[in-house]
Amino acid sequence: MDNMMIFFLLRISIILITLICGYWYCKDTSKKYFLMVPILLISLNEGLRFGRGTDYNVYYFNYQDIIHGYDVRSNEFLFTKLCELNDFLNLPYQGLVYFMSLILIVSGTLYLRNHKNIIPFALPLFMIFTIDAENLMRWFTAFSFLLIGVSYLEQDNVKKFVLFSVCAFLFHSGIIVIIPAYLLLYYIRRPLLRPLYSCIIYIAIYFFFKTSFMLEFVQYMNIFSGMTQFSGYVDNADEWLTGTANFEAQKLNIGTVIMDLIVINLGYKILDYKPKLIYVYNMCLIGTILSPALNQIEILYRICLLFKVFQFIIIAYSVYFFISNRCRPMIYSVLTWFVILNLIRVHILNILMEPYTSNSYLYVWDKMGREVLFN
């Protein structure tokens, strides 16, 4: 059996097991061990991947510099300490990759304490919607702390949100641009836009946005000059802001566009049944509307992901209300089915029909003495 088929079967199995364990947990929420199974499976599957994206290979050298004292990140204290802990435990670099994978899925599970009735659907969707963590490891680990903070913010506990936001910043200082936006949206008590206006703006951005527009902002990148961690962005600002630096700029495919437009409408409808989701919907709305533009620019694509990722909650509630026969009129049931089938197409069938590369399916047992893998 080749690596692609192993990867495919593992992903399918984990999604199904996660769905089943989530169902059992919902039947008896006192039995938290049902959630330990998907946490263990997902963290192991992702944590044992070898060469999973550019950042995996780049951070190997950062990790070596940190544990040997050459790289002192005073403002990213938690990342440094995690590296040092991994070294103290005498684990290889792969141990750090596993820890970051574990932190992500644990944070998703903790967040879903506020949404227990949708855990069977939301947990597999969280796994799918954070797939970019395979490359953006440290970015999504910082997001993990922020997501725990959001879980407290949904309980009106601003102090704990601030606490976990600080933890996120200490893991990746770039997360600082996300924190105030999350907090500001918390105080907005109504949907930012009606679905019709949201869809019009989305379509306009899709057809008319050009990455060359971003050249107007190059001059403002100088505010980050002198900050070592941002030097690569400042030195090549024109390339980073137009999507030509280490990134394959691309427009969203038509399947994603249709799904985004559906999610915008489904989310608004769900507010009729679950008004408390306004906060989540607004975060999802911002990321979804801007994604046709920001998907083409790596430095902004990362930011957009942390808003659009909340689609997983909207879709999970759509499925929940569909199954409980509360979706009215029928068109919302049809739209929910479209979203589900599109997710199956993108995250499951595409593995078989459009394989990434032979290096996309490697695990630690495929290392063959290598520490990194550059495609």
PDB file of all heavy atoms in Angstrom, residues 7 16-17 20 46 65 72 75 80 94 107 136 165 210 215 227 234 236 301 307 334 350 353 374:
ATOM      1  N   PHE A   7      -2.360   7.587   3.822  1.00  0.00           N
ATOM      2  CA  PHE A   7      -2.803   8.919   4.233  1.00  0.00           C
ATOM      3  C   PHE A   7      -4.318   9.052   4.092  1.00  0.00           C
ATOM      4  O   PHE A   7      -5.005   9.548   4.989  1.00  0.00           O
ATOM      5  CB  PHE A   7      -2.096   9.961   3.362  1.00  0.00           C
ATOM      6  CG  PHE A   7      -2.493  11.387   3.638  1.00  0.00           C
ATOM      7  CD1 PHE A   7      -1.903  12.101   4.664  1.00  0.00           C
ATOM      8  CD2 PHE A   7      -3.437  12.021   2.854  1.00  0.00           C
ATOM      9  CE1 PHE A   7      -2.260  13.415   4.921  1.00  0.00           C
ATOM     10  CE2 PHE A   7      -3.806  13.342   3.103  1.00  0.00           C
ATOM     11  CZ  PHE A   7      -3.212  14.036   4.138  1.00  0.00           C
ATOM     12  N   LEU A  16     -14.273   9.559  10.793  1.00  0.00           N
ATOM     13  CA  LEU A  16     -15.403   8.725  11.209  1.00  0.00           C
ATOM     14  C   LEU A  16     -15.361   8.425  12.707  1.00  0.00           C
ATOM     15  O   LEU A  16     -16.385   8.496  13.397  1.00  0.00           O
ATOM     16  CB  LEU A  16     -15.413   7.418  10.410  1.00  0.00           C
ATOM     17  CG  LEU A  16     -15.741   7.552   8.915  1.00  0.00           C
ATOM     18  CD1 LEU A  16     -15.613   6.203   8.223  1.00  0.00           C
ATOM     19  CD2 LEU A  16     -17.139   8.128   8.722  1.00  0.00           C
ATOM     20  N   ILE A  17     -14.174   8.104  13.218  1.00  0.00           N
ATOM     21  CA  ILE A  17     -14.043   7.796  14.652  1.00  0.00           C
ATOM     22  C   ILE A  17     -14.346   9.039  15.489  1.00  0.00           C
ATOM     23  O   ILE A  17     -15.007   8.958  16.533  1.00  0.00           O
ATOM     24  CB  ILE A  17     -12.627   7.261  14.959  1.00  0.00           C
ATOM     25  CG1 ILE A  17     -12.441   5.886  14.321  1.00  0.00           C
ATOM     26  CG2 ILE A  17     -12.392   7.188  16.468  1.00  0.00           C
ATOM     27  CD1 ILE A  17     -11.018   5.357  14.389  1.00  0.00           C
ATOM     28  N   ILE A  20     -18.086   9.487  15.616  1.00  0.00           N
ATOM     29  CA  ILE A  20     -18.722   8.502  16.495  1.00  0.00           C
ATOM     30  C   ILE A  20     -18.463   8.829  17.965  1.00  0.00           C
ATOM     31  O   ILE A  20     -19.378   8.801  18.799  1.00  0.00           O
ATOM     32  CB  ILE A  20     -18.221   7.082  16.160  1.00  0.00           C
ATOM     33  CG1 ILE A  20     -18.710   6.669  14.760  1.00  0.00           C
ATOM     34  CG2 ILE A  20     -18.689   6.073  17.211  1.00  0.00           C
ATOM     35  CD1 ILE A  20     -18.056   5.418  14.226  1.00  0.00           C
ATOM     36  N   GLU A  46      -1.246  14.056  12.861  1.00  0.00           N
ATOM     37  CA  GLU A  46      -0.598  15.284  12.397  1.00  0.00           C
ATOM     38  C   GLU A  46       0.816  15.420  12.958  1.00  0.00           C
ATOM     39  O   GLU A  46       1.724  15.875  12.268  1.00  0.00           O
ATOM     40  CB  GLU A  46      -1.441  16.499  12.807  1.00  0.00           C
ATOM     41  CG  GLU A  46      -2.804  16.561  12.139  1.00  0.00           C
ATOM     42  CD  GLU A  46      -2.697  16.609  10.619  1.00  0.00           C
ATOM     43  OE1 GLU A  46      -1.797  17.298  10.099  1.00  0.00           O
ATOM     44  OE2 GLU A  46      -3.511  15.948   9.956  1.00  0.00           O
ATOM     45  N   ASP A  65      18.610  26.486  16.543  1.00  0.00           N
ATOM     46  CA  ASP A  65      19.198  27.740  17.042  1.00  0.00           C
ATOM     47  C   ASP A  65      18.730  28.044  18.461  1.00  0.00           C
ATOM     48  O   ASP A  65      19.507  28.511  19.297  1.00  0.00           O
ATOM     49  CB  ASP A  65      18.827  28.894  16.110  1.00  0.00           C
ATOM     50  CG  ASP A  65      19.584  28.844  14.790  1.00  0.00           C
ATOM     51  OD1 ASP A  65      20.583  28.106  14.711  1.00  0.00           O
ATOM     52  OD2 ASP A  65      19.155  29.530  13.838  1.00  0.00           O
ATOM     53  N   VAL A  72      17.427  33.993  20.574  1.00  0.00           N
ATOM     54  CA  VAL A  72      16.761  34.390  21.807  1.00  0.00           C
ATOM     55  C   VAL A  72      15.563  35.268  21.445  1.00  0.00           C
ATOM     56  O   VAL A  72      15.716  36.411  21.028  1.00  0.00           O
ATOM     57  CB  VAL A  72      17.704  35.162  22.748  1.00  0.00           C
ATOM     58  CG1 VAL A  72      16.963  35.540  24.028  1.00  0.00           C
ATOM     59  CG2 VAL A  72      18.941  34.332  23.061  1.00  0.00           C
ATOM     60  N   ASN A  75      10.308  38.213  23.012  1.00  0.00           N
ATOM     61  CA  ASN A  75       8.873  38.521  22.922  1.00  0.00           C
ATOM     62  C   ASN A  75       8.043  37.307  22.503  1.00  0.00           C
ATOM     63  O   ASN A  75       6.829  37.405  22.364  1.00  0.00           O
ATOM     64  CB  ASN A  75       8.630  39.679  21.953  1.00  0.00           C
ATOM     65  CG  ASN A  75       9.067  39.342  20.542  1.00  0.00           C
ATOM     66  OD1 ASN A  75      10.012  38.566  20.354  1.00  0.00           O
ATOM     67  ND2 ASN A  75       8.413  39.918  19.554  1.00  0.00           N
ATOM     68  N   THR A  80       9.746  29.686  22.698  1.00  0.00           N
ATOM     69  CA  THR A  80      11.104  29.332  23.119  1.00  0.00           C
ATOM     70  C   THR A  80      11.069  28.260  24.200  1.00  0.00           C
ATOM     71  O   THR A  80      11.827  27.279  24.155  1.00  0.00           O
ATOM     72  CB  THR A  80      11.839  30.576  23.646  1.00  0.00           C
ATOM     73  OG1 THR A  80      11.924  31.549  22.608  1.00  0.00           O
ATOM     74  CG2 THR A  80      13.246  30.222  24.105  1.00  0.00           C
ATOM     75  N   GLN A  94      10.687  16.253  15.940  1.00  0.00           N
ATOM     76  CA  GLN A  94       9.322  15.784  15.695  1.00  0.00           C
ATOM     77  C   GLN A  94       8.455  15.901  16.942  1.00  0.00           C
ATOM     78  O   GLN A  94       7.238  16.065  16.851  1.00  0.00           O
ATOM     79  CB  GLN A  94       9.341  14.323  15.215  1.00  0.00           C
ATOM     80  CG  GLN A  94       8.053  13.868  14.561  1.00  0.00           C
ATOM     81  CD  GLN A  94       7.847  14.482  13.184  1.00  0.00           C
ATOM     82  OE1 GLN A  94       8.790  14.602  12.418  1.00  0.00           O
ATOM     83  NE2 GLN A  94       6.617  14.877  12.877  1.00  0.00           N
ATOM     84  N   SER A 107      -7.234  22.646  22.062  1.00  0.00           N
ATOM     85  CA  SER A 107      -7.893  23.957  22.109  1.00  0.00           C
ATOM     86  C   SER A 107      -9.255  23.910  21.425  1.00  0.00           C
ATOM     87  O   SER A 107     -10.228  24.497  21.906  1.00  0.00           O
ATOM     88  CB  SER A 107      -7.017  25.027  21.436  1.00  0.00           C
ATOM     89  OG  SER A 107      -7.017  24.902  20.026  1.00  0.00           O
ATOM     90  N   LEU A 136       1.394  26.044   8.563  1.00  0.00           N
ATOM     91  CA  LEU A 136       1.526  27.192   9.462  1.00  0.00           C
ATOM     92  C   LEU A 136       1.451  26.732  10.918  1.00  0.00           C
ATOM     93  O   LEU A 136       0.541  27.091  11.660  1.00  0.00           O
ATOM     94  CB  LEU A 136       0.419  28.210   9.154  1.00  0.00           C
ATOM     95  CG  LEU A 136       0.317  28.655   7.689  1.00  0.00           C
ATOM     96  CD1 LEU A 136      -0.890  29.559   7.490  1.00  0.00           C
ATOM     97  CD2 LEU A 136       1.594  29.361   7.250  1.00  0.00           C
ATOM     98  N   SER A 165      -4.912  35.594  25.312  1.00  0.00           N
ATOM     99  CA  SER A 165      -4.406  36.407  24.197  1.00  0.00           C
ATOM    100  C   SER A 165      -2.930  36.716  24.399  1.00  0.00           C
ATOM    101  O   SER A 165      -2.142  36.698  23.449  1.00  0.00           O
ATOM    102  CB  SER A 165      -5.202  37.713  24.079  1.00  0.00           C
ATOM    103  OG  SER A 165      -6.542  37.458  23.728  1.00  0.00           O
ATOM    104  N   LYS A 210      -7.323  43.095  -7.564  1.00  0.00           N
ATOM    105  CA  LYS A 210      -6.026  42.759  -8.161  1.00  0.00           C
ATOM    106  C   LYS A 210      -4.957  42.901  -7.085  1.00  0.00           C
ATOM    107  O   LYS A 210      -4.968  43.863  -6.314  1.00  0.00           O
ATOM    108  CB  LYS A 210      -5.691  43.685  -9.332  1.00  0.00           C
ATOM    109  CG  LYS A 210      -6.767  43.758 -10.415  1.00  0.00           C
ATOM    110  CD  LYS A 210      -6.927  42.442 -11.142  1.00  0.00           C
ATOM    111  CE  LYS A 210      -7.974  42.551 -12.247  1.00  0.00           C
ATOM    112  NZ  LYS A 210      -8.258  41.242 -12.888  1.00  0.00           N
ATOM    113  N   LEU A 215       0.304  47.330  -3.624  1.00  0.00           N
ATOM    114  CA  LEU A 215       1.571  48.069  -3.692  1.00  0.00           C
ATOM    115  C   LEU A 215       1.478  49.419  -2.986  1.00  0.00           C
ATOM    116  O   LEU A 215       2.487  49.983  -2.563  1.00  0.00           O
ATOM    117  CB  LEU A 215       1.989  48.259  -5.150  1.00  0.00           C
ATOM    118  CG  LEU A 215       2.425  46.980  -5.891  1.00  0.00           C
ATOM    119  CD1 LEU A 215       2.654  47.280  -7.367  1.00  0.00           C
ATOM    120  CD2 LEU A 215       3.683  46.399  -5.250  1.00  0.00           C
ATOM    121  N   MET A 227      12.576  45.155  13.640  1.00  0.00           N
ATOM    122  CA  MET A 227      12.083  43.968  14.330  1.00  0.00           C
ATOM    123  C   MET A 227      12.581  42.735  13.562  1.00  0.00           C
ATOM    124  O   MET A 227      12.172  42.496  12.427  1.00  0.00           O
ATOM    125  CB  MET A 227      10.554  43.970  14.388  1.00  0.00           C
ATOM    126  CG  MET A 227       9.969  45.170  15.101  1.00  0.00           C
ATOM    127  SD  MET A 227       8.157  45.088  15.182  1.00  0.00           S
ATOM    128  CE  MET A 227       7.766  46.706  15.853  1.00  0.00           C
ATOM    129  N   VAL A 234       9.741  42.925   5.622  1.00  0.00           N
ATOM    130  CA  VAL A 234      10.035  44.323   5.316  1.00  0.00           C
ATOM    131  C   VAL A 234      10.951  44.428   4.098  1.00  0.00           C
ATOM    132  O   VAL A 234      10.741  45.268   3.213  1.00  0.00           O
ATOM    133  CB  VAL A 234      10.689  45.023   6.531  1.00  0.00           C
ATOM    134  CG1 VAL A 234      11.122  46.439   6.172  1.00  0.00           C
ATOM    135  CG2 VAL A 234       9.724  45.043   7.712  1.00  0.00           C
ATOM    136  N   ASN A 236      11.258  42.496   1.586  1.00  0.00           N
ATOM    137  CA  ASN A 236      10.610  42.120   0.320  1.00  0.00           C
ATOM    138  C   ASN A 236       9.117  42.439   0.390  1.00  0.00           C
ATOM    139  O   ASN A 236       8.277  41.633  -0.030  1.00  0.00           O
ATOM    140  CB  ASN A 236      10.812  40.625   0.045  1.00  0.00           C
ATOM    141  CG  ASN A 236      12.274  40.245  -0.034  1.00  0.00           C
ATOM    142  OD1 ASN A 236      12.954  40.554  -0.992  1.00  0.00           O
ATOM    143  ND2 ASN A 236      12.747  39.574   1.009  1.00  0.00           N
ATOM    144  N   TYR A 301      -3.308  36.255   3.925  1.00  0.00           N
ATOM    145  CA  TYR A 301      -4.034  34.980   3.897  1.00  0.00           C
ATOM    146  C   TYR A 301      -4.033  34.329   5.280  1.00  0.00           C
ATOM    147  O   TYR A 301      -5.045  33.802   5.745  1.00  0.00           O
ATOM    148  CB  TYR A 301      -3.369  34.070   2.868  1.00  0.00           C
ATOM    149  CG  TYR A 301      -3.773  32.618   2.909  1.00  0.00           C
ATOM    150  CD1 TYR A 301      -5.047  32.222   2.517  1.00  0.00           C
ATOM    151  CD2 TYR A 301      -2.863  31.634   3.314  1.00  0.00           C
ATOM    152  CE1 TYR A 301      -5.417  30.887   2.538  1.00  0.00           C
ATOM    153  CE2 TYR A 301      -3.223  30.298   3.338  1.00  0.00           C
ATOM    154  CZ  TYR A 301      -4.493  29.931   2.946  1.00  0.00           C
ATOM    155  OH  TYR A 301      -4.850  28.602   2.971  1.00  0.00           O
ATOM    156  N   PHE A 307     -10.183  34.085  10.807  1.00  0.00           N
ATOM    157  CA  PHE A 307     -11.582  34.529  10.840  1.00  0.00           C
ATOM    158  C   PHE A 307     -12.467  33.522  10.098  1.00  0.00           C
ATOM    159  O   PHE A 307     -13.501  33.100  10.604  1.00  0.00           O
ATOM    160  CB  PHE A 307     -11.720  35.915  10.218  1.00  0.00           C
ATOM    161  CG  PHE A 307     -11.103  37.012  11.039  1.00  0.00           C
ATOM    162  CD1 PHE A 307      -9.786  37.382  10.854  1.00  0.00           C
ATOM    163  CD2 PHE A 307     -11.847  37.663  12.011  1.00  0.00           C
ATOM    164  CE1 PHE A 307      -9.206  38.384  11.620  1.00  0.00           C
ATOM    165  CE2 PHE A 307     -11.293  38.670  12.783  1.00  0.00           C
ATOM    166  CZ  PHE A 307      -9.967  39.031  12.590  1.00  0.00           C
ATOM    167  N   VAL A 334     -31.231  21.825   1.494  1.00  0.00           N
ATOM    168  CA  VAL A 334     -30.520  21.578   0.228  1.00  0.00           C
ATOM    169  C   VAL A 334     -29.145  22.225   0.263  1.00  0.00           C
ATOM    170  O   VAL A 334     -28.137  21.628  -0.134  1.00  0.00           O
ATOM    171  CB  VAL A 334     -31.338  22.113  -0.969  1.00  0.00           C
ATOM    172  CG1 VAL A 334     -30.525  21.985  -2.260  1.00  0.00           C
ATOM    173  CG2 VAL A 334     -32.668  21.379  -1.081  1.00  0.00           C
ATOM    174  N   ASN A 350     -10.438  14.708  -3.364  1.00  0.00           N
ATOM    175  CA  ASN A 350      -9.322  15.347  -4.059  1.00  0.00           C
ATOM    176  C   ASN A 350      -7.993  14.674  -3.755  1.00  0.00           C
ATOM    177  O   ASN A 350      -7.048  14.779  -4.532  1.00  0.00           O
ATOM    178  CB  ASN A 350      -9.240  16.833  -3.691  1.00  0.00           C
ATOM    179  CG  ASN A 350     -10.137  17.686  -4.565  1.00  0.00           C
ATOM    180  OD1 ASN A 350     -10.949  17.157  -5.329  1.00  0.00           O
ATOM    181  ND2 ASN A 350     -10.006  18.992  -4.472  1.00  0.00           N
ATOM    182  N   MET A 353      -8.012  12.130  -6.494  1.00  0.00           N
ATOM    183  CA  MET A 353      -8.064  12.640  -7.865  1.00  0.00           C
ATOM    184  C   MET A 353      -6.952  13.624  -8.184  1.00  0.00           C
ATOM    185  O   MET A 353      -6.439  13.668  -9.287  1.00  0.00           O
ATOM    186  CB  MET A 353      -9.424  13.303  -8.111  1.00  0.00           C
ATOM    187  CG  MET A 353     -10.596  12.343  -8.022  1.00  0.00           C
ATOM    188  SD  MET A 353     -12.166  13.113  -8.508  1.00  0.00           S
ATOM    189  CE  MET A 353     -12.378  14.352  -7.229  1.00  0.00           C
ATOM    190  N   PHE A 374      12.856  19.465   1.691  1.00  0.00           N
ATOM    191  CA  PHE A 374      12.542  20.634   0.878  1.00  0.00           C
ATOM    192  C   PHE A 374      12.039  20.158  -0.458  1.00  0.00           C
ATOM    193  O   PHE A 374      12.703  19.418  -1.181  1.00  0.00           O
ATOM    194  CB  PHE A 374      13.778  21.515   0.680  1.00  0.00           C
ATOM    195  CG  PHE A 374      14.173  22.260   1.920  1.00  0.00           C
ATOM    196  CD1 PHE A 374      15.199  21.795   2.722  1.00  0.00           C
ATOM    197  CD2 PHE A 374      13.494  23.399   2.313  1.00  0.00           C
ATOM    198  CE1 PHE A 374      15.556  22.459   3.876  1.00  0.00           C
ATOM    199  CE2 PHE A 374      13.843  24.076   3.458  1.00  0.00           C
ATOM    200  CZ  PHE A 374      14.882  23.599   4.249  1.00  0.00           C
TER     201      PHE A 374
END
